[in-house]
Amino acid sequence: MRLDTVIRQRFSELATKADDIAKEKRIEYLRNTGKEIAYASHPKVVAWGTSVISLFQQVFGAEGVHCQHFKLAYNQFSGYYSSFETLLALFNAAREDYEGGYIFSIQGLTKAEVLSDAMEQAEHLLANGYKDPACVLIGVSLETAIKHLATKNGVATAKLDKMNADLAKVGVYNVAKQKQITAWADLRNKGAHGEWEAYSNADIQSMHTGVTQFIADFL
């Protein structure tokens, strides 16, 4: 069996497993408010995500943007169904890129162009009413951009807040931009931890616009 056939088969198998996880979505209601909370099976998502990372490392490389984006989102998986949706969106994007024959052109793209693809995925999620997965995906893109800027400017890789402060200190951008990035990071953290009522769809729309412009301006 040709390697390409094996890879396509593995993508298909993992897509089927993702469908199974989606079918088992569990809904709970908060006793005091009746608010609906959706959960994904934590053990199954962890097992599925581990297999996806293994595939991405073999296909795109451990340092490839698909693998890096997925691992960042995977490490932030909270058990909420919206967190699984973010992982699934990243998986589907990678599968489309591979099966569409874009893997070689992707390897030659600049960081800005690759992150632009991720931001388009976030825009699609927003357009379909999924502000919470979009929030996390935008935050992952922002953190990836900050890490790239840190490496480019001799700043040690660390947590986002530390890199953000250090980049402002060395003059990559001003304090106003540093504060804006801190605000975006706070939204991402809220999204990742299920604090979905702490921000609105308009807030994430604004975040998307701002992070898109930041990537265009600094990468």
Side-chain angles (χ1 to χ4, degrees):
M1 188 181 291
R2 292 180 58 222
L3 179 59
D4 177 64
T5 302
V6 173
I7 292 171
R8 287 174 180 268
Q9 180 177 314
R10 188 56 175 153
F11 267 115
S12 179
E13 291 170 350
L14 290 171
T16 298
K17 289 185 177 182
D19 287 342
D20 291 341
I21 292 171
K23 290 174 184 176
E24 294 180 8
K25 178 171 67 171
R26 187 176 86 258
I27 304 296
E28 292 185 5
Y29 298 90
L30 295 181
R31 188 173 300 175
N32 56 338
T33 65
K35 178 185 175 183
E36 181 180 290
I37 305 292
Y39 296 93
S41 170
H42 196 280
K44 290 187 177 182
V45 173
V46 169
W48 174 77
T50 300
S51 296
V52 172
I53 290 171
S54 176
L55 176 64
F56 283 11
Q57 287 175 339
Q58 295 175 64
V59 175
F60 303 109
E63 299 304 317
V65 66
H66 293 90
C67 194
Q68 290 296 309
H69 276 197
F70 191 90
K71 284 196 290 188
L72 281 169
Y74 176 75
N75 289 336
Q76 295 166 351
F77 176 65
S78 59
Y80 294 109
Y81 190 78
S82 61
S83 296
F84 168 66
E85 287 180 313
T86 297
L87 291 170
L88 184 57
L90 293 169
F91 171 79
N92 287 334
R95 184 184 185 185
E96 288 175 10
D97 285 340
Y98 179 81
E99 295 186 348
Y102 304 123
I103 180 172
F104 298 110
S105 60
I106 285 174
Q107 291 173 345
L109 290 174
T110 64
K111 280 281 186 181
E113 289 172 323
V114 173
L115 288 175
S116 177
D117 290 342
M119 295 299 285
E120 286 180 9
Q121 289 289 327
E123 185 176 19
H124 177 73
L125 288 169
L126 275 169
N128 286 276
Y130 296 105
K131 71 177 177 67
D132 306 309
C135 175
V136 176
L137 184 54
I138 295 166
V140 169
S141 298
L142 174 64
E143 185 165 357
T144 300
I146 293 295
K147 284 184 176 179
H148 176 70
L149 281 177
T151 300
K152 180 180 177 181
N153 291 278
V155 169
T157 301
K159 290 186 177 180
L160 193 151
D161 285 347
K162 180 69 165 58
M163 291 188 293
N164 184 29
D166 289 344
L167 286 168
K169 284 180 182 177
V170 299
V172 174
Y173 43 73
N174 59 29
V175 174
K177 184 63 66 180
Q178 177 192 352
K179 291 180 178 179
Q180 179 62 76
I181 291 168
T182 297
W184 289 332
D186 183 57
L187 283 175
R188 189 279 304 271
N189 291 338
K190 284 182 169 60
H193 291 91
E195 299 177 39
W196 304 313
E197 293 184 357
Y199 55 84
S200 65
N201 189 75
D203 292 329
I204 306 308
Q205 290 280 4
S206 178
M207 179 185 179
H208 181 273
T209 299
V211 173
T212 299
Q213 189 61 53
F214 174 79
I215 290 170
D217 289 345
F218 290 95
L219 267 68

